[in-house]
Amino acid sequence: MSPKTWLITGASSGFGKSLALQALAAGFKVLGTTRDIRKAQSQVPDFATRGGIWLELDPGSDDAFEQFSKVSREHGGMDVLVNNAGYAFIGGVEDTSEEEVQSQMNVNFYGPLRTIKACLPAMRTKGSGNIVLISSGAGFIARPGRSTYSASKFAIEAVHESLSHEVKPFGIKVLIVEPGAFRTPFAARIRSPAQHEGTGGSCEAYKDTPVAAMLDSMRAAAAMDELPPSVKGDPEKAAAAIISAVVDGHDYLRLPLGSDCVAALEGKIGELQSDLEKTRAVGLSMDVDQQHRSPGPKVNIPGKGVSQD
């Protein structure tokens, strides 16, 4: 039997790089996308020597669906699709332009959507497959300054959650990976509002607010030669956990990774539970009172005259 084929977007760095090399080591056929093959070859020289195949593809491009569809056909369909490519936009809601929101959504939302739609037909025909989204803790909690980034992650997680139900009858599994802070170069690719580039990414009104604090912390992380000890996540361990979930099977939709992400998710669940308890009585009081229930609108059913709905 031929080895299963993995397609990993953004395979030249971070989680994509770790996943690609470990998948190759496990004996899988791996296709890795990058926007610059020459740069990727210098960053990850072991990828090609171990049998990996570089593809110069950008999920954020307008013709990405056609390009990924062609790749799927040429390689006999994908067994595992890992949507990893993406970046974070950090800035306040008021300071962020519509164009910047659109650019973030084009890469983090429409990019994965295009690759999924391109790879699904072959997976359905095979009656099996795995779709993996490398999301973020920002996919379930929106901190100050992360509205745009979180919006892209909330939205694409919603697609994958719905998709998990849609493709289950075809033997296709979906996994949403939610990493916390890991020791990857992700911070170096963070963007912020261009109109306030000269003032640290925010307007004067947001100076000394949580928005400015978030921007300061992101810039500091990007400027460091070495990541601080507080960033504890090991991308090699994360890659191993993801591959294990795909190979061994999993009975869960979300996989939070990192002690910080687990704590954040527990906090989010606690906040939701608290809101529910505080509003439960109000929510449960909204049903129509039976004794005052008014007749529904009249519906004209062909051949049966008019009836009450």
Side-chain angles (χ1 to χ4, degrees), residues 256-271:
L257 294 177
S259 54
D260 57 336
C261 194
V262 170
L265 184 54
E266 289 176 333
K268 178 71 173 188
I269 292 170
E271 290 174 3

Side-chain angles (χ1 to χ4, degrees), residues 124-146:
R124 281 193 293 99
T125 299
K126 290 182 179 182
S128 64
N130 283 269
I131 296 171
V132 180
L133 170 68
I134 307 301
S135 183
S136 165
F140 62 79
I141 187 168
R143 301 192 186 283
R146 293 193 174 194

Side-chain angles (χ1 to χ4, degrees), residues 11-12 33-34 36-45 47 54:
S12 62
T33 78
T34 177
D36 187 334
I37 288 182
R38 185 175 298 179
K39 184 177 179 181
Q41 289 171 332
S42 66
Q43 289 178 326
V44 198
F47 180 73
W54 285 118

Side-chain angles (χ1 to χ4, degrees), residues 48-60:
T49 59
R50 295 182 187 181
I53 301 171
W54 285 118
L55 302 171
E56 195 161 284
L57 293 174
D58 179 5

Side-chain angles (χ1 to χ4, degrees), residues 20-100:
L21 293 177
Q22 288 195 33
L24 284 170
F28 299 117
K29 176 182 175 181
V30 180
L31 311 177
T33 78
T34 177
R35 289 181 296 174
D36 187 334
I37 288 182
R38 185 175 298 179
K39 184 177 179 181
Q41 289 171 332
S42 66
Q43 289 178 326
V44 198
D46 290 346
F47 180 73
T49 59
R50 295 182 187 181
I53 301 171
W54 285 118
L55 302 171
E56 195 161 284
L57 293 174
D58 179 5
S61 64
D62 291 339
D63 63 345
F65 171 75
E66 289 77 16
Q67 291 188 48
F68 278 92
S69 295
K70 181 180 178 182
V71 168
S72 180
R73 290 192 301 270
E74 290 177 345
H75 292 272
M78 301 301 130
D79 297 293
V80 182
L81 168 64
V82 181
N83 273 310
N84 170 71
Y87 73 93
F89 184 93
I90 306 299
V93 172
E94 190 175 348
D95 294 330
T96 303
S97 70
E98 279 196 25
E99 290 75 18
E100 288 167 330

Side-chain angles (χ1 to χ4, degrees), residues 55 201 216 271 273-274 285:
L55 302 171
D216 289 344
E271 290 174 3
Q273 189 64 46
S274 175
S285 69

Side-chain angles (χ1 to χ4, degrees), residues 14-288:
F15 284 111
K17 172 184 173 181
S18 297
L19 274 169
L21 293 177
Q22 288 195 33
L24 284 170
F28 299 117
K29 176 182 175 181
V30 180
L31 311 177
T33 78
T34 177
R35 289 181 296 174
D36 187 334
I37 288 182
R38 185 175 298 179
K39 184 177 179 181
Q41 289 171 332
S42 66
Q43 289 178 326
V44 198
D46 290 346
F47 180 73
T49 59
R50 295 182 187 181
I53 301 171
W54 285 118
L55 302 171
E56 195 161 284
L57 293 174
D58 179 5
S61 64
D62 291 339
D63 63 345
F65 171 75
E66 289 77 16
Q67 291 188 48
F68 278 92
S69 295
K70 181 180 178 182
V71 168
S72 180
R73 290 192 301 270
E74 290 177 345
H75 292 272
M78 301 301 130
D79 297 293
V80 182
L81 168 64
V82 181
N83 273 310
N84 170 71
Y87 73 93
F89 184 93
I90 306 299
V93 172
E94 190 175 348
D95 294 330
T96 303
S97 70
E98 279 196 25
E99 290 75 18
E100 288 167 330
V101 174
Q102 289 167 352
S103 294
Q104 176 79 108
M105 296 298 289
N106 190 46
V107 174
N108 289 9
F109 178 78
Y110 287 107
L113 188 60
R114 292 172 182 128
T115 64
I116 289 169
K117 295 180 74 171
C119 293
L120 267 179
M123 288 185 176
R124 281 193 293 99
T125 299
K126 290 182 179 182
S128 64
N130 283 269
I131 296 171
V132 180
L133 170 68
I134 307 301
S135 183
S136 165
F140 62 79
I141 187 168
R143 301 192 186 283
R146 293 193 174 194
S147 59
T148 300
Y149 180 50
S150 285
S152 71
K153 292 299 186 180
F154 271 55
I156 197 59
E157 284 203 13
V159 167
H160 281 73
E161 183 171 330
S162 177
L163 182 68
S164 69
H165 301 291
E166 295 177 4
V167 299
K168 187 176 181 180
F170 303 108
I172 301 169
K173 304 199 74 170
V174 176
L175 179 66
I176 299 172
V177 181
E178 296 172 328
F182 274 73
R183 303 185 74 79
T184 70
F186 185 74
R189 300 194 298 274
I190 286 174
R191 303 177 193 176
S192 58
Q195 65 175 323
H196 298 296
E197 185 178 355
T199 55
S202 65
C203 65
E204 186 64 25
Y206 287 91
K207 183 180 180 180
D208 300 324
T209 70
V211 170
M214 178 64 73
L215 285 161
D216 289 344
S217 67
M218 292 296 103
R219 277 196 305 274
M224 289 181 179
D225 293 329
E226 293 185 7
L227 291 168
S230 59
V231 180
K232 300 176 181 179
D234 182 344
E236 299 305 317
K237 288 184 177 180
I242 294 166
I243 292 174
S244 177
V246 170
V247 173
D248 299 336
H250 55 88
D251 57 359
Y252 46 82
L253 175 62
R254 288 178 169 81
L255 175 61
L257 294 177
S259 54
D260 57 336
C261 194
V262 170
L265 184 54
E266 289 176 333
K268 178 71 173 188
I269 292 170
E271 290 174 3
L272 291 172
Q273 189 64 46
S274 175
D275 284 352
L276 176 60
E277 294 306 322
K278 291 175 181 176
T279 61
R280 182 187 296 275
V282 175
L284 293 175
S285 69
M286 295 295 107
D287 292 354
V288 174

